Amino acid sequence: MTSHEKNNKKHNHNIQNNFEVTDLLNSLGTTINPDLLIQALTHSSFSHENPGVQNYERLEFLGDAVLELVSTETLFAQHPEAAEGHLAHMRAKVVSEESLSTIAREKLQVGKYILLGHGESEDGGADKDSILCDIVESLIGATFVEHGIDEARKVVHHLIDDALAEVAHEGPSLDWKTSLTVKAHELGLPDPEYKMSVSGPEYALQFTAKAVIPTTGEVLGEGTGSSKRKAQLSAASQAWKTLNTRK
């Protein structure tokens, strides 16, 4: 047996001893074979410490595309009178890090299942919005790989239909960056700017964004994410809520 096979065997044995996968799969509403499920739950920090173990990044990439397709076709069908911009704003809210991390916590309770490296685990990675969001997408991707688009579509609806119903009534807050700019103008303020920073190892970068008023330097909101876009959306959400208290 090669070292790669030994690592995978040990990895699979450990995760199967750590939790009852039936609970997670029942919450997800589908079945996924154990090896694929393990990959979908493995963060890059774990695979970095365990060479030869596959992480969820490829599945997340695939799941993100499936999620966007299903949410787009659903919004298109449900809102025949909505303009393209409004549909895009609704979709952005539904597939946002904030929305998906809430699904991960409340519907899937997936944090306890995620395999993390020692440093990421000690840093609270199992409860980071960015990682929880990624896990939801990777599980969707794993469902697509095993069962195809019809089953993946069913899982996506199971996970996001509540959010799809909510965003239809949320008005301007659908696109936080646009909403923040509008709110700033209402208060006679200039367009907010985003100050970016990056931390963490190359294989698990963490982006931090601060939404600031450029003329005064006041920080209105701060957010983190696994990408620049996610971090800025999180910061814009906090900043909008800050300004909304001043009206």
Side-chain angles (χ1 to χ4, degrees):
M1 182 180 292
T2 66
S3 59
H4 174 84
E5 290 170 334
K6 288 178 180 178
N7 278 338
N8 279 339
K9 183 176 180 180
K10 179 180 177 182
H11 177 49
N12 293 3
H13 177 73
N14 286 342
I15 190 172
Q16 288 166 358
N17 285 340
N18 283 341
F19 64 85
E20 176 52 62
V21 296
T22 303
D23 294 341
L24 176 60
L25 294 176
N26 285 342
S27 298
L28 189 63
T30 192
T31 59
I32 301 174
N33 79 71
D35 289 343
L36 190 59
L37 177 60
I38 289 166
Q39 181 185 347
L41 296 168
T42 301
H43 187 256
S44 57
S45 60
F46 189 98
S47 61
H48 181 74
E49 294 178 7
N50 297 271
V53 172
Q54 291 184 297
N55 62 53
Y56 63 59
E57 290 181 348
R58 283 172 53 83
L59 292 174
E60 176 209 346
F61 171 77
L62 177 61
D64 176 66
V66 174
L67 176 63
E68 185 156 320
L69 168 64
V70 177
S71 59
T72 299
E73 67 181 7
T74 303
L75 289 167
F76 183 85
Q78 290 181 347
H79 304 280
E81 305 302 321
E84 180 271 341
H86 188 56
L87 291 173
H89 294 166
M90 286 193 285
R91 181 182 62 196
K93 178 64 175 176
V94 170
V95 303
S96 69
E97 183 175 286
E98 179 183 10
S99 176
L100 294 182
S101 62
T102 297
I103 289 170
R105 288 190 182 95
E106 297 180 1
K107 286 193 173 184
L108 299 179
Q109 299 180 2
V110 75
K112 59 188 175 183
Y113 303 129
I114 304 172
L115 288 176
L116 301 162
H118 294 300
E120 188 65 62
S121 180
E122 292 174 359
D123 195 37
D127 195 46
K128 287 182 179 178
D129 285 357
S130 57
I131 293 177
L132 291 171
C133 172
D134 291 346
I135 287 289
V136 172
E137 293 174 341
S138 70
L139 289 169
I140 293 169
T143 303
F144 179 88
V145 168
E146 180 152 347
H147 299 291
I149 187 60
D150 289 338
E151 182 73 3
R153 183 180 282 111
K154 184 181 78 172
V155 167
V156 170
H157 281 297
H158 174 66
L159 294 177
I160 72 167
D161 273 359
D162 291 344
L164 286 168
E166 289 176 9
V167 297
H169 307 290
E170 288 194 4
S173 67
L174 294 172
D175 177 357
W176 287 116
K177 291 181 71 173
T178 300
S179 298
L180 175 59
T181 300
V182 171
K183 179 62 67 176
H185 290 175
E186 289 176 356
L187 297 174
L189 299 171
D191 290 359
E193 295 180 351
Y194 297 90
K195 305 292 185 181
M196 301 298 304
S197 61
V198 184
S199 60
E202 185 176 351
Y203 59 86
L205 294 177
Q206 183 81 353
F207 293 83
T208 299
K210 293 181 179 180
V212 303
I213 298 298
T215 52
T216 64
E218 179 188 2
V219 178
L220 300 174
E222 182 174 337
T224 61
S226 57
S227 69
K228 178 180 176 181
R229 179 183 65 85
K230 291 178 179 178
Q232 289 186 355
L233 287 172
S234 178
S237 170
Q238 285 193 16
W240 185 91
K241 293 168 186 174
T242 298
L243 291 183
N244 195 46
T245 65
R246 302 180 184 179
K247 62 181 179 180

